[in-house]
Amino acid sequence: MSGTNGTHAFVQPNGGGAQLAPAAGALLEVDGLSVAYGKARALHGVSLDIRAGEIVTVIGPNGAGKTTLVSTIAGLLRPQVGTVALGGERIDRRPTERVAVAGIRLVPERRHIFTSLTVRQNLAVGAFRPTGGGAAREEIERVFALFPALAAKANQLGGQLSGGQQQMLAIVRALVGRPRVLMLDEPTIGLAPQPVAELFDRIVALRDAGLAVLLVEQNVRGSLAIADRAYLLERGAVVTSGTAATLAADERVLRSYLGVA
Amino acid sequence: MEAFVQYLINGLAVGGVFALIAIGYVVVFRVVRIVNIAQGDLLAAATLVFLWLMNAHAGLPAAIAGAVAAALAAALFVERIAVTTGGWFDDLRAFLLTLAASQLIQGALLLLFGTQYLTMPASAPPIIAIGDVHVNGVYLLVIAIVVLALVGLVLFLERTPLGWAMLATADDPLAARLCAVPIRTMGVLAFAIAAVVAGIGGAAYGAVAIGSWNAGTTLSTAGFAAAVLGGMKNPTRAAIGGFVLGILQALVSGYAASYLQDPLTFVFLIVVLLAPALARRVARRRPRRAARAAAVAA
Amino acid sequence: MTARRAAPWWLLTLIPAIAACVVRAPYPLVVLGTIGIDAIAAVGLAITLRKAGQPSLAQTTFMAVGAYTASLLELNAHWPLLPAGIAGVAAAALAAWLFGAILLNLEGLYFALGTLALNAAAVAVFRNAGVFGNDEGLQGLAAFHIPGLSSDQAPTVVAWVLVAAGLYLATRLDRARFGRGLRMLRESAKVTQSVGFDPASLKRSAFALSGAYAGVAGVLLTAQLSVVNPSLFSLGNSIALVAMVITGGESLLATVGGAVVIVLVHELSRSSLQYAPVTLVGGIDLIVNGLVLVVILRFWPQGLTSFARRRSRRAEAPVEQRAVAAKPAALPVAQGTPMLVARDIGHRFGGVYAVDGASLGVGAGEILAVIGPNGAGKTTLLTILGGYHPLQRGEVDLAGEPVDDVAPFRRARRGVAATFQHMEVVEQMSVRENVLAAGTREEAVAPALGAVGLLDAADAYVSELSFGQQRMVELARVLARDETPRVLLMDEPASGLSQPERAVLADVVRAFAAAGTAVVLVEHDVAFVARLADRILVLDHGVPIAEGVPQTLLREQVVIDAYLGSAAVPA
């Protein structure tokens, strides 16, 4: 049941709560996740999976639960029902710090870089190991080699960078932690088209290097253009999913955002 | 003139102690978002232990070590009380809990040391001459120690990875967690740093003043007033606030009456807290619409 | 529907007063008297702490003001007890008003620390300024002379009668609009403003009231002891008062219970150490103080109130409209008259413009929806229109009059109603009380609840309702207003609502429009808004990019592009 490029064929019923056939070799598996904020139900039985070397994007209108989804995977929220597994190991009851150590790094909405620390210090924190360890400095040099634009600003305060540079910093800070899965929550918010294009380039490069990237985006066209597979989330449930190409042609996506056909 | 310089030096020394308390507030508040009202009591405990050891002729190094140890024990006690496994309490509850801890520490100190004041064992203090003013060398030493402690803290925070992790926790706890920084441990570390600073400060205070079980409250209030000058965020500004308040108190105490120190602290606190808001309101006053329209038409 | 009257539990406090008339032994009388005096001070503190959310450590300071004022008048001007006492209470209230005006500008924690500093300063002054008698204080103060009662009985009886009176007064105020305003203040300053209360004025009044109670307690103290000295008003005692309020929990009567508990605990520890040295007693006293607070705060945060049964009726029926429905009274304004006009609104957060040059206009009876992708600045714009953000750039007119710098509560009084994105109903009040807090008449509550389908749940606590139902409470609050609002601002009202709840919401909004209200809605649910709005304004990156009627606007390319984003083609 596998196609080319590491894509999968799925059972695709209409409506939410789709039971997906477990994909072979999935790195991160989310199964039947339900999360509530106090009274409000934010997620209903959401399942998804992602493999190494692919970009999966989660799209949907605002309030659909996209941020809730990645926050739960990252351990910031506790699900009422459902499981999250990384490489077969269950991680859904772990605190955020342990999830980060296990290999999932989230770059949160609005970046959250440390504005009062320099770029280099930001990265140093990203490479923080609770049990100590001196590999941090080598790690930082390595990423500086890969991102020379950032290296040029190594001693500038995070708060002084432009929006696009801050986004890059936030991503690189996550990368120094050597994650296996990188989750990005709406990285293009507030960015002009040029930085957005560069950002998407970078994400593709990371995917090509073998990273699993989970991209939550409101920029539907842009994310579908680079993604391998996509999930459409509406009111906390998966409405449809499939290859990026399939969803790009699906009028449900347009209706989901604008309510018109 | 001599009196003025004496007051100044005295004020700087006491102000230095305020500065250390203020730094303790700032470090804990930034990382844990708790105002630890027991900060002054940590220092009082350190002072009492320091003076007790000095009077028992244990020697200076042992006395200082004892002071720091006492402060550490007290600080961890406060942390246990005010912080819980689920995370940190909301502001009000945490504040009330540190207040409760303050009472408990004061009670313990009263039980252990009684109501007697302790002072340094009698010995001739080194007199240093500045111009034709004679100054107690101990005061100068205290000032030097405070500056060293401040520099040491700033270096730690800004030059070491652990310091960066703490600053990161203070800057953005959510992002710090996502970087695998154990913010709970950072919180404990913040308390520990505040304790070490209080321990050193306690020894310094013992050298220039007296040790008593109830000194904590006045010290806490003064330290808080100083910390607020730095916006509860900036240790250097907080330290400056401490020195300023110390000098003001010494001057008021010397030229007016010593009991006016507490009222002075209150006034200082109010001014520091309200001045920025007042300034902002004045700056924000926008020209009336008619004036703006006229300006546009002109 | 008549308001349910709660049983007059406060009458219970007359029992100790009656008991004191009968008992003769001095020690129990003194302890009982102390409990009564502390209870008065604690109830006063509870008004500020529990109801308005401001923790004050200066309650003993105002007790001292009352006590010293009365004492000085008695000793130096030879005033009898009653007028001196009244003067003392007035002085304490005045002091509280003055210091409140300064301190209440500070938020929560800083306020508490300000009161702490005030307490320390006051103690220093009372101990050292000669006129107050220094550490020994003042002696020979007047006592109560009541025929038939001994000198130990009189102050105790008076104290408990005053406890009863104080509780009665506090309960009446609590039920009145003032009390509801205080409770709203504790939960949300924004909502308090939106129904027309001035939060600053509320806080000052509450603080002055607490000061008055403290003054009464202080005067009683002088009458009981015949002396007054600074050690009575120490920080430790202030903390004990806080402990009493916290032990009590939510209800004022329970605060009296808190006083009983704390004083008894202290007395017990003191009496068991009767022959111990002073330092031991003092030390144990402090430890008891701290221990009680820790135990309550960590293990028993509800306090004594957890024993009270909470009357509540489960809200069972799903939301449905009833025949008894409220229709907002028609406004005497022609359809389409410009109601809210905003020109060139700009707002920066730090270096980033959240809103840059937005202009809009809504007329009476019109429904304008503001939509746009995430981060477009919609909520910021709405908040500025309501006055909750200071206006950095631009102009806002309400019915032709400029309201640029007018505070939200004043806009509310001029007819601007608002509902907010994050839940702003007061969880600890019942549905009915939440609606009444808007300053409405009792008769308006039932029809308003009927219109949103919550008539059956009127007495349930809001915390027991579902999310959608809590939203409906907010709506009912607007419906129940005395006057139909001229402008209604709604921030994402449909988020989290089920289909039937959305239908009710749409009906309510249409009813307002029919009555002439100008409605501005910010929403993410474009489909919902497309059916409801007369006009739609689209924001993207803080700038308006399109405006028009739903039918045509949503097909415009620029709108679709804004929502779906640009396809960034990878190199």
Side-chain angles (χ1 to χ4, degrees):
Chain A
M1 279 261 230
S2 70
T4 54
N5 304 334
T7 54
H8 308 257
F10 293 100
V11 174
Q12 280 197 35
N14 273 339
Q19 260 319 109
L20 303 169
L27 181 56
L28 177 70
E29 280 179 66
V30 175
D31 191 22
L33 216 56
S34 289
V35 179
Y37 276 120
K39 302 281 177 177
R41 278 228 137 251
L43 290 182
H44 307 269
V46 171
S47 301
L48 67 78
D49 58 88
I50 178 169
R51 297 169 73 181
E54 76 170 341
I55 296 176
V56 169
T57 180
V58 175
I59 56 177
N62 214 276
K66 310 190 293 295
T67 297
T68 309
L69 176 59
V70 290
S71 298
T72 310
I73 296 174
L76 291 169
L77 295 172
R78 247 327 124 89
Q80 272 71 39
V81 179
T83 62
V84 179
L86 180 69
E89 231 184 290
R90 271 190 64 170
I91 58 167
D92 48 83
R93 303 279 163 215
R94 291 202 198 160
T96 312
E97 296 87 337
R98 304 266 303 283
V99 172
V101 169
I104 302 181
R105 291 277 168 139
L106 168 65
V107 179
E109 209 180 353
R110 296 182 221 285
R111 284 137 229 158
H112 284 264
I113 57 161
F114 303 118
T115 50
S116 57
L117 298 182
T118 66
V119 166
R120 188 182 289 274
Q121 291 167 342
N122 263 274
L123 296 184
V125 176
F128 185 86
R129 282 257 171 279
T131 46
R137 204 172 308 169
E138 291 162 26
E139 225 11 76
I140 296 174
E141 294 309 322
R142 187 182 70 92
V143 295
F144 270 155
L146 290 172
F147 294 86
L150 219 49
K153 309 228 171 223
N155 293 319
Q156 277 205 3
L157 287 183
Q160 293 170 331
L161 301 178
S162 73
Q165 291 165 332
Q166 287 188 348
Q167 187 61 61
M168 206 58 71
L169 174 60
I171 294 177
V172 176
R173 183 184 61 183
L175 288 178
V176 289
R178 287 204 164 268
R180 296 193 277 169
V181 177
L182 181 68
M183 301 194 293
L184 301 165
D185 194 351
E186 305 218 20
T188 63
I189 278 196
L191 294 189
Q194 175 59 16
V196 169
E198 284 172 10
L199 182 65
F200 283 152
D201 280 352
R202 287 292 184 180
I203 295 175
V204 170
L206 290 171
R207 185 266 314 268
D208 292 339
L211 197 58
V213 180
L214 183 60
L215 175 64
V216 163
E217 252 304 330
Q218 260 223 320
N219 183 339
V220 174
R221 290 198 182 117
S223 61
L224 284 179
I226 60 168
D228 298 302
R229 286 186 298 118
Y231 293 79
L232 175 64
L233 211 63
E234 220 181 295
R235 303 251 184 90
V238 175
V239 167
T240 182
S241 61
T243 64
T246 317
L247 256 70
D250 192 336
E251 66 169 35
R252 261 180 298 192
V253 172
L254 187 59
R255 211 178 325 136
S256 187
Y257 277 81
L258 285 177
V260 296
Chain B
M1 184 57 194
E2 163 124 12
F4 178 75
V5 174
Q6 290 285 18
Y7 294 151
L8 199 63
I9 302 288
N10 196 350
L12 279 174
V14 174
V17 175
F18 292 162
L20 288 175
I21 299 176
I23 292 172
Y25 271 116
V26 167
V27 170
V28 169
F29 182 76
R30 280 184 73 181
V31 179
V32 187
R33 302 268 191 276
I34 291 179
V35 173
N36 176 19
I37 200 68
Q39 189 69 25
D41 296 291
L42 300 186
L43 195 130
T47 306
L48 281 169
V49 169
F50 173 78
L51 288 173
W52 189 84
L53 284 173
M54 286 299 281
N55 279 300
H57 303 291
L60 193 59
I64 295 180
V68 172
L72 271 173
L76 291 177
F77 172 70
V78 174
E79 200 265 345
R80 284 293 108 186
I81 286 190
V83 180
T84 186
T85 44
W88 300 308
F89 283 114
D90 63 270
D91 299 345
L92 179 59
R93 277 223 293 187
F95 167 68
L96 290 174
L97 283 167
T98 58
L99 199 58
S102 161
Q103 294 276 284
L104 287 168
I105 294 175
Q106 287 189 2
L109 289 178
L110 182 53
L111 289 176
L112 286 172
F113 294 97
T115 52
Q116 296 275 351
Y117 292 162
L118 289 183
T119 57
M120 283 285 274
S123 62
I127 301 289
I128 303 190
I130 302 181
D132 44 66
V133 174
H134 293 111
V135 171
N136 186 337
V138 177
Y139 285 65
L140 296 177
L141 186 63
V142 166
I143 297 172
I145 288 176
V146 170
V147 172
L148 272 176
L150 179 61
V151 168
L153 178 70
V154 171
L155 280 179
F156 167 74
L157 286 178
E158 304 200 351
R159 293 285 166 91
T160 65
L162 194 54
W164 297 331
M166 287 191 71
L167 287 178
T169 311
D171 192 303
D172 193 327
L174 173 70
R177 291 177 70 191
L178 293 173
C179 291
V181 172
I183 53 177
R184 236 350 282 287
T185 314
M186 294 296 121
V188 175
L189 198 55
F191 269 97
I193 291 177
V196 169
V197 163
I200 297 175
Y205 192 63
V208 301
I210 54 176
S212 78
W213 64 275
N214 60 355
T217 309
T218 344
L219 289 173
S220 289
T221 326
F224 174 72
V228 168
L229 191 68
M232 291 300 280
K233 276 197 298 201
N234 187 328
T236 316
R237 282 232 298 247
I240 293 175
F243 282 116
V244 167
L245 185 57
I247 294 175
L248 284 175
Q249 283 205 352
L251 290 175
V252 162
S253 179
Y255 289 121
S258 75
Y259 76 85
L260 286 175
Q261 287 178 344
D262 278 340
L264 172 69
T265 306
F266 174 67
V267 171
F268 182 86
L269 179 65
I270 295 297
V271 168
V272 168
L273 280 174
L274 290 182
L278 213 62
R280 249 182 289 137
R281 222 179 306 175
V282 169
R284 208 163 56 198
R285 203 133 17 113
R286 295 153 69 247
R288 287 296 174 83
R289 245 197 233 184
R292 271 187 283 136
V296 167
Chain C
M1 189 183 284
T2 56
R4 187 173 299 205
R5 292 231 169 274
W9 294 105
W10 56 270
L11 283 172
L12 281 177
T13 53
L14 286 176
I15 295 178
I18 298 172
C21 294
V22 177
V23 174
R24 291 252 154 209
Y27 178 65
L29 280 173
V30 170
V31 172
L32 194 59
T34 307
I35 296 177
I37 292 172
D38 282 344
I40 295 175
V43 168
L45 182 59
I47 292 175
T48 321
L49 177 64
R50 279 285 168 197
K51 301 304 176 182
Q54 298 275 17
S56 163
L57 288 167
Q59 190 70 342
T60 49
T61 305
F62 299 123
M63 282 175 73
V65 169
Y68 276 108
T69 306
S71 308
L72 287 172
L73 285 172
E74 285 170 23
L75 289 178
N76 298 342
H78 304 289
W79 283 28
L81 176 56
L82 197 56
I86 294 177
V89 174
L94 185 63
W97 177 272
L98 285 172
F99 282 108
I102 303 173
L103 289 170
L104 288 165
N105 290 308
L106 306 173
E107 279 314 310
L109 215 48
Y110 289 98
F111 171 79
L113 280 148
T115 58
L116 179 61
L118 175 60
N119 188 299
V123 167
V125 168
F126 286 129
R127 284 181 65 188
N128 290 287
V131 63
F132 298 116
N134 297 331
D135 277 330
E136 295 89 43
L138 304 170
Q139 284 114 8
L141 303 172
F144 289 107
H145 294 296
I146 301 182
L149 294 177
S150 75
S151 61
D152 289 317
Q153 285 177 316
T156 308
V157 172
V158 174
W160 280 96
V161 168
L162 287 175
V163 171
L167 264 187
Y168 176 71
L169 175 65
T171 316
R172 286 304 298 266
L173 283 175
D174 200 43
R175 297 241 182 80
R177 194 151 184 257
F178 176 70
R180 284 195 289 267
L182 280 188
R183 268 182 291 176
M184 292 187 97
L185 190 58
R186 197 174 125 208
E187 298 266 341
S188 164
K190 250 199 319 193
V191 154
T192 318
Q193 293 231 35
S194 78
V195 296
F197 282 110
D198 179 2
S201 163
L202 268 180
K203 282 194 230 184
R204 280 195 301 264
S205 307
F207 200 60
L209 190 61
S210 307
Y213 275 71
V216 170
V219 170
L220 282 174
L221 202 57
T222 67
Q224 186 200 46
L225 301 173
S226 290
V227 301
V228 58
N229 63 59
S231 69
L232 294 168
F233 309 114
S234 64
L235 177 64
N237 288 340
S238 249
I239 294 178
L241 283 178
V242 171
M244 289 177 205
V245 174
I246 299 209
T247 309
E250 278 301 320
S251 94
L252 292 173
L253 179 64
T255 306
V256 176
V260 173
V261 170
I262 302 289
V263 172
L264 284 181
V265 168
H266 274 282
E267 279 306 313
L268 241 110
S269 70
R270 268 186 223 137
S271 58
S272 59
L273 293 169
Q274 235 170 7
Y275 302 108
V278 171
T279 57
L280 188 60
V281 174
I284 297 292
D285 226 26
L286 285 166
I287 290 179
V288 164
N289 232 3
L291 213 52
V292 167
L293 260 184
V294 172
V295 166
I296 301 285
L297 284 171
R298 285 198 70 136
F299 303 112
W300 206 23
Q302 288 286 65
L304 291 169
T305 320
S306 55
F307 290 133
R309 271 174 307 114
R310 296 227 299 218
R311 286 167 292 121
S312 73
R313 301 226 245 116
R314 298 240 147 249
E316 284 150 352
V319 169
E320 52 170 283
Q321 288 183 306
R322 303 297 217 91
V324 180
K327 284 254 177 291
L331 284 172
V333 64
Q335 170 84 10
T337 319
M339 269 295 138
L340 184 65
V341 177
R343 283 182 286 273
D344 192 35
I345 305 289
H347 196 88
R348 286 170 53 173
F349 287 113
V352 179
Y353 270 98
V355 180
D356 198 356
S359 303
L360 62 81
V362 200
E366 245 199 302
I367 302 176
L368 173 71
V370 179
I371 64 175
N374 201 17
K378 312 187 290 295
T379 298
T380 311
L381 179 58
L382 203 70
T383 336
I384 293 173
L385 291 176
Y388 297 95
H389 277 320
L391 191 58
Q392 289 175 3
R393 185 181 104 213
E395 296 167 355
V396 179
D397 285 348
L398 177 66
E401 285 171 26
V403 290
D404 293 356
D405 294 308
V406 174
F409 74 91
R410 281 194 229 278
R411 294 191 205 202
R413 291 180 192 171
R414 291 199 212 179
V416 176
T419 67
F420 303 97
Q421 190 176 10
H422 301 295
M423 194 51 60
E424 302 278 2
V425 288
V426 182
E427 301 242 328
Q428 293 306 317
M429 298 203 287
S430 72
V431 169
R432 181 198 309 280
E433 288 180 300
N434 261 280
V435 174
L436 275 174
T440 51
R441 307 176 313 277
E442 298 266 4
E443 313 84 68
V445 175
L449 289 179
V452 299
L454 283 177
L455 205 49
D456 282 340
D459 289 310
Y461 279 91
V462 166
S463 48
E464 292 162 10
L465 301 181
S466 77
F467 183 86
Q469 289 171 317
Q470 289 180 346
R471 281 283 187 184
M472 293 292 132
V473 173
E474 262 200 306
L475 265 187
R477 190 191 280 151
V478 184
L479 271 172
R481 281 165 70 116
D482 286 340
E483 289 166 14
T484 309
R486 299 197 281 182
V487 173
L488 178 57
L489 304 172
M490 309 184 86
D491 197 352
E492 303 204 25
S495 84
L497 293 188
S498 65
Q499 253 331 102
E501 287 164 349
R502 277 158 195 257
V504 172
L505 172 65
D507 282 348
V508 170
V509 173
R510 281 196 204 98
F512 273 111
T517 307
V519 182
V520 181
L521 272 187
V522 160
E523 248 309 320
H524 275 125
D525 186 345
V526 180
F528 173 76
V529 142
R531 288 188 296 267
L532 182 60
D534 297 315
R535 276 187 306 125
I536 298 185
L537 173 69
V538 184
L539 283 186
D540 191 18
H541 285 94
V543 177
I545 59 170
E547 189 176 342
V549 294
Q551 293 76 8
T552 52
L553 185 75
L554 295 173
R555 295 176 207 283
E556 278 184 43
Q557 194 57 37
V558 63
V559 175
I560 297 178
D561 280 349
Y563 265 92
L564 295 187
S566 49
V569 180

